[in-house]
Amino acid sequence: MTRLLESGSARLEADDSALKVEGQVGFDAATALAEAGRAWLAEQPAGTRVTFDLSRVADVSSAALSVLLEWARAARAAGLELQEVRLSSALRRLADLAGLERLLPVESAAA
């Protein structure tokens, strides 16, 4: 696991095929998280299957959804396949309200 960013109470790490976020994702950390994730995604070979794991994100705001959508756009632009998105229960509720399950491969609640 490689730490890409620690910004306030949010941490971004990456392994071979996943971006993992932990902590609180507010507007203060969102720009730095989005940029660090975009840079990592741009380094991956086209065709790579990637996962976004936000299952350990607490106290979410719409900023976390903005980061997630930015990463999804960057993955598409880099020719990557977004395999799965894992969300914390708090972030899942926000994503459900926003209707993101139609746009992203969000892991089912039973998984």
Side-chain angles (χ1 to χ4, degrees), residues 1-5 11-22 40 51 53 56 86:
M1 191 74 57
T2 302
R3 183 166 297 165
L4 301 177
L5 178 73
R11 181 173 51 230
L12 175 62
E13 297 179 330
D15 65 16
D16 293 336
S17 63
L19 285 172
K20 299 180 181 187
V21 181
E22 184 175 339
W40 181 85
T51 298
D53 185 349
R56 299 187 74 185
R86 298 181 193 126

Side-chain angles (χ1 to χ4, degrees), residues 37-38 40-50 52 71-72 74-83:
R38 272 195 317 263
W40 181 85
L41 290 163
E43 294 173 356
Q44 305 312 302
T48 299
R49 299 177 79 184
V50 296
F52 301 155
W71 288 352
R76 274 193 304 278
L80 308 176
E81 180 186 341
L82 181 51
Q83 179 178 356

Side-chain angles (χ1 to χ4, degrees), residues 14-99:
D15 65 16
D16 293 336
S17 63
L19 285 172
K20 299 180 181 187
V21 181
E22 184 175 339
Q24 297 177 345
V25 178
F27 290 100
D28 55 333
T31 300
L33 284 169
E35 289 175 4
R38 272 195 317 263
W40 181 85
L41 290 163
E43 294 173 356
Q44 305 312 302
T48 299
R49 299 177 79 184
V50 296
T51 298
F52 301 155
D53 185 349
L54 288 83
S55 62
R56 299 187 74 185
V57 170
D59 300 329
V60 299
S61 73
S62 60
L65 295 182
S66 295
V67 170
L68 184 58
L69 291 171
E70 179 60 28
W71 288 352
R73 282 190 293 272
R76 274 193 304 278
L80 308 176
E81 180 186 341
L82 181 51
Q83 179 178 356
E84 183 177 51
V85 175
R86 298 181 193 126
L87 302 174
S88 66
S89 59
L91 190 51
R92 176 177 299 284
R93 285 189 297 276
L94 192 57
D96 288 347
L97 286 172

